[in-house]
Amino acid sequence: MKFDSILQEINGFGPFQIFILILLYTPLIVLPCNFFLIIFITAEPPHHCDISTLDYGELWENLTQDQKLIISIPRQEDGSFISCEMFAEPQFQLLSNSSDSANIPTVQCMSGWVYDNSTFTSTLATELNLDCDRKSLTKTIGTIFFFGVTLGSVSFGYLCDKYGRKNFLLVSYTMAFVSGFSSAFANSYILFAVLRFLTGVGLSGISLTAAVLNIEWVDTVHRSLIGVMGSLSWSVGNMLMAGFAFLVTDWRSLILTVTAPLGFAVLTWWWLPESARWLLANGKVERAQFYLDKCASFNKRPKLSNKMKLEALSSVEIQEKQDKNYTYLDLFKTPKLRLLSLKSAVVWFGVALTYYGISLNISGFGLNMYLTHFIFAAIEVPAKLMVFFFINTIGRRKFQAGTLLLTGTCLVINIFLPESLWNLRSAVAVIGKGLSEASFTTVIFYTTELFPTVIRQNGMGYVSFISRLGISVAPLILLLEDVWIFLPQVIIGCMAITSGLVALMLPETRNMRLPEIIDDIEKPRNRDISSHAAGSSADVQESKKSTTETEEERDQ
């Protein structure tokens, strides 16, 4: 007897499960808002040196503001003023020939900057003067946040397994809400960085714990549906982020806007049940029966009458938990599994770096940043639906490799397209973003079928950690645009192509039985089930079970 048989008696996908889904997935919409918040709050609007405090005598006083700018600040080739430099002395001769400014000595801005506030009322960069020689600090905030996400995934994964899903979901909600809200009032860079780090920790806990709690209350048949809906909630939140950023142009107000829904999550937490699976696996039979009876009542099914069933199942779960004491080290103890783990790490690193590198670089294509972000988010919806068709027709390996190779190709093509062809650049960028999303969705499905059952969660935890390293590196790579404007696209594109080539070396899993033990990897037998419909159906369901448990792994 398994827990699913008990869940089937009380309806594994009824009003009770839909109620839980609504309570858990509504807060998940704020995750992409916070993950991509850094794009808008650290935006650096056009600016030039502040010359209001300069005084060069009566002749200076008689000049208009435009004339003062001409003789004080050098221009770029497109005619706009250089952001971080000014002439060491006023160049009055430029009033008659403003183009003759070559070889004139310049100095760094002496009295701060004047910003163009037509797009943003204020940003972190304008308020803390994070530009010119301090420009790297804005991108570093993103890396600090994603390091918090990495720590949260490792910490909460262990804690919610040991102490329960519901309790640490409240800890996650509270940490993300308090830290996120407080960061809107930070008055120093260090304090803001610390608070965003803690916000990342909390948000990672929400993503991980909410996904697990939701899936553990749903029957096997509907787990893939739950996984898809969770993934689509990310896309919905991502699209909403473009609207929030367009309407709220002050960085502090924008942080409050995307953090406020977590207050609702804290209030609704009291209505959530603990995972009955976790309770039984930890010998808490009385509490498990309480929630199972609650589920039965909500779904208009008779309550479980035989308590001995639950006690017997609890004993089996506890024994299995003790017998299967695998760790991350088991991923590297045997040669073929070690090679599989290394290849998977390269693919996950490339997938994560590519997805976030494109998503965070919405201004790198020379288009409207709000519209670009919305389109990039909207293209994810058909991309996710496309995945479910192609992985079952051409196979996991070919589709995984193909999406990565084509994503890298799109990035390389955009390097050579002139900005005057903005329509074509937009189309190529959107296609590349959609393909990067398809590769991310595919790698979650694919990887759960690569690792054997006994260490599947360890394997997913390992590649998830690697992916977060890729996410953390992405903002730093974007800083390299100061060296050469296209260098970030070159690096991200090359990484996408490299990981695509590595994906071609992974085994195909379509119509193959899932590996159960490590020997299934080290001494593979014929696992092709294409001619056995019944077996195929069973394995597909098992694959979906493992897949949906990790569908939210990326939200960090």
Side-chain angles (χ1 to χ4, degrees), residues 74-177:
R75 293 176 181 265
Q76 303 183 80
E77 292 182 2
D78 61 0
S80 62
F81 291 109
I82 290 178
S83 300
C84 302
E85 295 178 359
M86 60 186 295
F87 295 126
E89 298 290 340
Q91 305 297 314
F92 291 100
Q93 75 277 8
L94 295 179
L95 292 174
S96 58
N97 185 7
S98 60
S99 62
D100 187 20
S101 59
N103 301 321
I104 299 177
T106 60
V107 295
Q108 296 295 311
C109 297
M110 296 183 291
S111 303
W113 297 266
V114 174
Y115 295 94
D116 179 0
N117 295 325
S118 60
T119 302
F120 301 98
T121 304
S122 71
T123 69
L124 186 71
T126 63
E127 188 165 320
L128 299 182
N129 291 326
L130 302 180
D131 43 28
C132 299
D133 57 341
R134 303 182 70 200
K135 181 179 179 180
S136 61
L137 294 179
T138 59
K139 301 295 184 184
T140 305
I141 283 289
T143 298
I144 292 171
F145 171 81
F146 287 122
F147 275 135
V149 171
T150 304
L151 177 63
S153 64
V154 175
S155 304
F156 282 102
Y158 168 78
L159 293 171
C160 74
D161 270 346
K162 188 171 180 62
Y163 300 107
R165 290 28 169 156
K166 184 178 178 180
N167 290 336
F168 276 91
L169 183 60
L170 179 61
V171 173
S172 301
Y173 280 157
T174 305
M175 177 180 289
F177 179 69

Side-chain angles (χ1 to χ4, degrees), residues 443-461:
V443 79
I444 298 172
F445 275 88
Y446 192 15
T447 311
T448 58
E449 297 176 338
L450 289 173
F451 289 106
T453 300
V454 293
I455 55 169
R456 185 167 292 133
Q457 285 303 317
N458 283 306
M460 292 307 300

